[in-house]
Amino acid sequence: MKKIYSLLSLFLIITSGFGQNKQSEKADKLYEGYQYVDAIEAYLEVVDDNDADTYVYKQLADSYYHLFNIKEASKWYKKALETTQDAETYFRYAQVLKSEGKYNQANTQMDKFAKLAPKDQRAQAHLANPNYIPQLADITKTFEVEDITINDAEHSDFGAVLSNDNILYFVSTRKTSGKEDAWTNQPYLDIYKSTRDEKGNLSVPEEVSELNTMYHDGPLTISADGKTMYFSRDGHSDGTYKKLKSKRVKVAQQGIYKATMVDGKWGNIEALPINSIEYTVSHPSISKDGKTLYFASNMPNGFGDSDIWKISVSGDTYGEPVNLGPKVNTSGKEGFPYISENNILYFASSGHQGYGGLDIFKFDLNKKEASVNLGKVINTNRDDFAFGVNNTLKVGYFSSNKSGVDNIYKAIPICQFKTIVFVKDQDTNAILLGASVTILDAENNTIASHSTNVKEITSFNVSCDNNYTITVSKEGYETASFKVATSEGEDVTVNTDLKPINEMITETEVKLNNIYFEFNKSNITNQGALELDKLVAIMKDYPEMKIMVRSHTDTKGSADYNLKLSERRAQSTMQYVISKGIGKERLSAKGMGATTPKIDCKSNCTEEENAQNRRSEFLIIKE
């Protein structure tokens, strides 16, 4: 059975590769003459008569491909590739899929292309870097996560905070020689530190002995200048606890304490006035300017088990606690706040929707929109908490018990920013609705497209490690492209002023930007389609207008070669315009080769001069 199936497959491959058949002869002649619009009609007649095979489907796909009709090309390439085709067909289908934003499917087709044409430069480039499409902004991919070397395999390590002078402070139960917590039968928490070198490596941790007591100490927060610390501490250490006489138990709450750096050591330790024997005040985080302290507490008038609160700080004076409200706090547990330099609050919660246990969320205090889950790269179905990021040093740390014990993990931020686009009329400065806005990366791959039909502003989230271009089109206006300024995470605004399209008409011609073609090719590209759509719009506005398309080449090839190449390009250009609904009787095309250069530099042309000579003209025919 296997042999029979193999022979049948071979027969199908040979048949589909044989080429033209009698039913498609008319369409083939039109295709070979670059009459793609008429060729499509002829091929579709074959399809309607149920006489089509994969050869006809491929020819249909190629015809649409030459006209840059992505939707129809995709449809027919898919049918053509139900049997094996030549390498170029797989490549073209991959390009079509990329234009549709289907990058994973495109990679599959490129893999097939690379197997059939392994020496082709395009295949080699694909194999060297198949996933070059930049990662889009996504809550599941805002950080890269790595293990660190300082975790204790058996004991809890968490609450890491990196100071601006590269000291990583954290808390740990690794000190087994001390007293154990009667509630957990585990060692009490102590504060440790590790020095981070210029390569990001961490030194062997050492205890910060001047801060540690025989009870719980930490977690903590460090001021921007590294001279002030706020840290949590068990009330037993200074005798602030409540006695339960019935059970002969001393119950102490967590409180927040302040310490300052004195001669390289932490000292001047004092309790904050918000501490209480009735409730816990813990998990401090100080703002960059030192004026606001965030913390977690189960004090009265909260929303749930524990909430995130804040107080104002002015020297040794502290304001009244303020609850951060329902966009942060829930009826569950909220804790481990961390306030970043750019005013983003990170916190752990069991009340917001997450993956399970505690999840880490962020809340932008500048915008005060809903809290956002950091996604599955950070969060798991276990407890994930104590997230902090040093924006200056571009590295963060968080804690998780996903391995079965609390460990610290490194989080490397993926730089992203928002591109905000305003579309306006160049002459009147009026906001334009109904415009199509597309963002492309440095390789001219379409990242996303939006319309301004609903809003006057559109925006895109993109990564910092690429260069982007915004292309804007609207009926009645000249399509234009605009560079997006580079960013290190700040929003970028792009003002796109569109020029009314009829200003492109002169007495003798319609002036378009140059219609570029790939080397030795005559199919219409994305850039060429954008330009030719302007001509289509003008000819619809002026139904009596007739246009001659004249295509020119540079002088690099032979005269005969250049003449034939320019003729093919002129025909492709004309066919594209016809495919958009312009009557064929209104268009003519002529290839000029290199006979009428714009710059007569003979055989000594520079690259810039050659580029100017490779041009298309759209002459208005007057009768």
Side-chain angles (χ1 to χ4, degrees):
M1 188 58 147
K2 186 175 180 180
K3 276 190 175 182
I4 293 172
Y5 181 78
S6 297
L7 286 171
L8 177 61
S9 297
L10 180 61
F11 175 75
L12 289 173
I13 292 168
I14 292 171
T15 303
S16 65
F18 184 77
Q20 300 175 350
N21 56 53
K22 279 193 173 182
Q23 290 79 8
S24 67
E25 282 181 357
K26 173 187 173 184
D28 291 336
K29 288 179 180 178
L30 292 166
Y31 179 89
E32 290 165 6
Y34 316 111
Q35 308 299 303
Y36 301 122
V37 175
D38 293 337
I40 287 169
E41 291 181 8
Y43 285 127
L44 288 174
E45 287 178 7
V46 178
V47 173
D48 292 340
D49 291 337
N50 295 317
D51 289 325
D53 55 15
T54 53
Y55 168 77
V56 172
Y57 300 147
K58 176 184 177 299
Q59 291 296 98
L60 258 174
D62 283 343
S63 298
Y64 282 118
Y65 176 84
H66 286 302
L67 295 173
F68 203 71
N69 187 328
I70 297 303
K71 182 179 179 181
E72 290 300 317
S74 180
K75 170 185 172 181
W76 295 106
Y77 275 133
K78 184 176 181 180
K79 290 183 68 68
L81 289 169
E82 290 174 358
T83 60
T84 302
Q85 297 289 343
D86 61 287
E88 194 66 19
T89 301
Y90 291 98
F91 177 79
R92 288 183 176 181
Y93 188 32
Q95 301 308 104
V96 167
L97 289 168
K98 287 179 184 177
S99 295
E100 293 180 307
K102 299 175 181 177
Y103 301 120
N104 290 335
Q105 294 180 40
N107 273 351
T108 300
Q109 299 304 319
M110 285 299 294
D111 290 341
K112 295 176 181 179
F113 167 72
K115 285 183 179 179
L116 292 172
K119 294 183 179 180
D120 191 296
Q121 286 185 335
R122 297 169 296 177
Q124 293 171 355
H126 165 72
L127 294 173
N129 187 16
N131 298 309
Y132 65 91
I133 301 299
Q135 294 288 333
L136 304 184
D138 189 330
I139 65 168
T140 63
K141 197 64 177 176
T142 52
F143 295 90
E144 298 284 359
V145 174
E146 296 180 3
D147 293 335
I148 63 172
T149 58
I150 63 172
N151 287 309
D152 187 290
E154 298 180 5
H155 296 93
S156 291
D157 299 300
F158 65 91
V161 175
L162 183 64
S163 68
N164 288 333
D165 56 354
N166 273 305
I167 304 297
L168 185 76
Y169 292 91
F170 65 99
V171 294
S172 177
T173 61
R174 65 181 65 197
K175 186 179 179 181
T176 57
S177 60
K179 192 175 180 179
E180 287 190 347
D181 185 347
W183 295 89
T184 64
N185 293 323
Q186 295 290 321
Y188 280 98
L189 290 169
D190 283 316
I191 299 173
Y192 286 78
K193 69 178 181 179
S194 172
T195 302
R196 179 177 178 269
D197 67 20
E198 59 185 13
K199 294 182 179 179
N201 300 316
L202 294 168
S203 66
V204 175
E206 57 183 273
E207 183 184 348
V208 186
S209 57
E210 66 268 29
L211 291 175
N212 294 326
T213 66
M214 60 188 302
Y215 298 101
H216 288 304
D217 298 288
L220 57 98
T221 183
I222 300 287
S223 63
D225 62 7
K227 295 179 180 180
T228 304
M229 176 188 290
Y230 296 90
F231 64 100
S232 303
R233 174 175 279 183
D234 192 321
H236 281 117
S237 63
D238 60 5
T240 53
Y241 51 79
K242 181 188 292 187
K243 291 183 179 179
L244 298 181
K245 294 181 180 179
S246 61
K247 297 183 180 180
R248 297 181 181 179
V249 174
K250 297 176 181 178
V251 177
Q253 303 286 351
Q254 285 267 300
I256 297 177
Y257 295 73
K258 177 183 176 182
T260 56
M261 183 70 74
V262 180
D263 297 328
K265 294 284 186 178
W266 292 105
N268 299 327
I269 298 172
E270 57 185 38
L272 266 60
I274 57 173
N275 295 345
S276 172
I277 61 172
E278 301 295 335
Y279 50 80
T280 288
V281 178
S282 188
H283 308 164
S285 181
I286 190 69
S287 61
K288 181 182 178 181
D289 61 10
K291 295 181 179 180
T292 307
L293 183 70
Y294 297 83
F295 61 94
S297 178
N298 60 347
M299 65 175 59
N301 301 315
F303 286 84
D305 203 335
S306 61
D307 282 11
I308 308 296
W309 301 72
K310 68 177 181 178
I311 56 171
S312 61
V313 179
S314 178
D316 292 327
T317 303
Y318 302 92
E320 293 296 318
V322 176
N323 190 289
L324 264 60
K327 289 186 177 180
V328 171
N329 296 312
T330 69
S331 58
K333 289 180 181 287
E334 276 75 44
F336 297 96
Y338 179 88
I339 185 68
S340 71
E341 297 170 26
N342 54 348
N343 223 25
I344 304 297
L345 178 75
Y346 297 90
F347 64 97
S349 173
S350 66
H352 291 280
Q353 289 186 330
Y355 293 92
L358 288 171
D359 272 26
I360 299 169
F361 293 80
K362 67 177 181 179
F363 178 69
D364 190 334
L365 290 169
N366 300 310
K367 299 178 180 178
K368 297 185 178 180
E369 297 172 348
S371 296
V372 177
N373 190 298
L374 289 194
K376 61 185 178 182
V377 171
I378 298 292
N379 292 315
T380 67
N381 59 357
R382 304 295 294 273
D383 284 333
D384 308 286
F385 57 100
F387 184 98
V389 59
N390 188 309
N391 295 104
T392 300
L393 300 175
K394 297 182 179 179
V395 64
Y397 295 90
F398 70 100
S399 307
S400 176
N401 66 359
K402 60 185 177 182
S403 67
V405 63
D406 293 335
N407 279 161
I408 299 167
Y409 297 86
K410 181 161 68 174
I412 303 170
I414 298 173
C415 183
Q416 299 167 349
F417 67 97
K418 180 179 287 187
T419 300
I420 303 167
V421 184
F422 292 87
V423 184
K424 297 181 179 179
D425 184 297
Q426 178 178 293
D427 295 340
T428 66
N429 207 36
I431 294 289
L432 296 178
L433 298 181
S436 176
V437 184
T438 301
I439 188 166
L440 303 97
D441 66 9
E443 303 294 328
N444 285 324
N445 296 297
T446 297
I447 301 302
S449 294
H450 295 317
S451 172
T452 59
N453 281 336
V454 179
K455 300 178 182 178
E456 64 183 43
I457 303 171
T458 189
S459 64
F460 304 91
N461 289 328
V462 289
S463 62
C464 302
D465 58 354
N466 208 316
N467 296 315
Y468 298 94
T469 302
I470 296 290
T471 298
V472 185
S473 61
K474 177 176 169 56
E475 186 175 351
Y477 289 85
E478 180 179 350
T479 298
S481 295
F482 305 85
K483 292 292 183 183
V484 177
T486 57
S487 173
E488 291 297 322
E490 298 296 322
D491 290 352
V492 171
T493 299
V494 182
N495 292 306
T496 61
D497 296 337
L498 297 188
K499 184 178 181 181
I501 205 164
N502 289 343
E503 293 182 11
M504 300 162 60
I505 304 171
T506 71
E507 284 292 319
T508 57
E509 64 180 313
V510 175
K511 287 189 173 292
L512 302 180
N513 293 323
N514 213 348
I515 310 298
Y516 291 103
F517 293 87
E518 296 177 24
F519 177 72
N520 197 29
K521 298 288 178 65
S522 58
N523 58 280
I524 300 300
T525 64
N526 181 38
Q527 182 274 343
L530 289 173
E531 286 301 309
L532 291 175
D533 285 343
K534 302 173 191 176
L535 179 63
V536 171
I538 289 172
M539 295 188 75
K540 287 181 177 179
D541 285 346
Y542 295 87
E544 303 301 318
M545 179 184 286
K546 294 184 178 181
I547 292 290
M548 171 182 279
V549 180
R550 291 206 311 192
S551 180
H552 304 263
T553 67
D554 55 34
T555 58
K556 287 184 177 180
S558 68
D560 182 61
Y561 169 84
N562 284 334
L563 194 61
K564 290 178 179 177
L565 177 61
S566 65
E567 181 65 28
R568 292 200 304 272
R569 289 178 172 176
Q571 287 290 337
S572 292
T573 301
M574 183 179 74
Q575 289 293 307
Y576 177 87
V577 177
I578 294 172
S579 76
K580 294 296 183 177
I582 302 300
K584 65 179 70 176
E585 72 281 356
R586 298 176 61 195
L587 290 151
S588 57
K590 186 175 183 180
M592 304 298 292
T595 58
T596 55
K598 186 175 182 179
I599 300 176
D600 192 10
C601 47
K602 303 293 191 289
S603 59
N604 298 316
C605 299
T606 65
E607 272 304 312
E608 183 179 349
E609 290 169 336
N610 277 328
Q612 291 187 56
N613 284 335
R614 293 192 299 267
R615 67 198 191 281
S616 295
E617 296 172 319
F618 302 91
L619 305 181
I620 299 172
I621 298 174
K622 296 182 178 179
E623 298 177 350

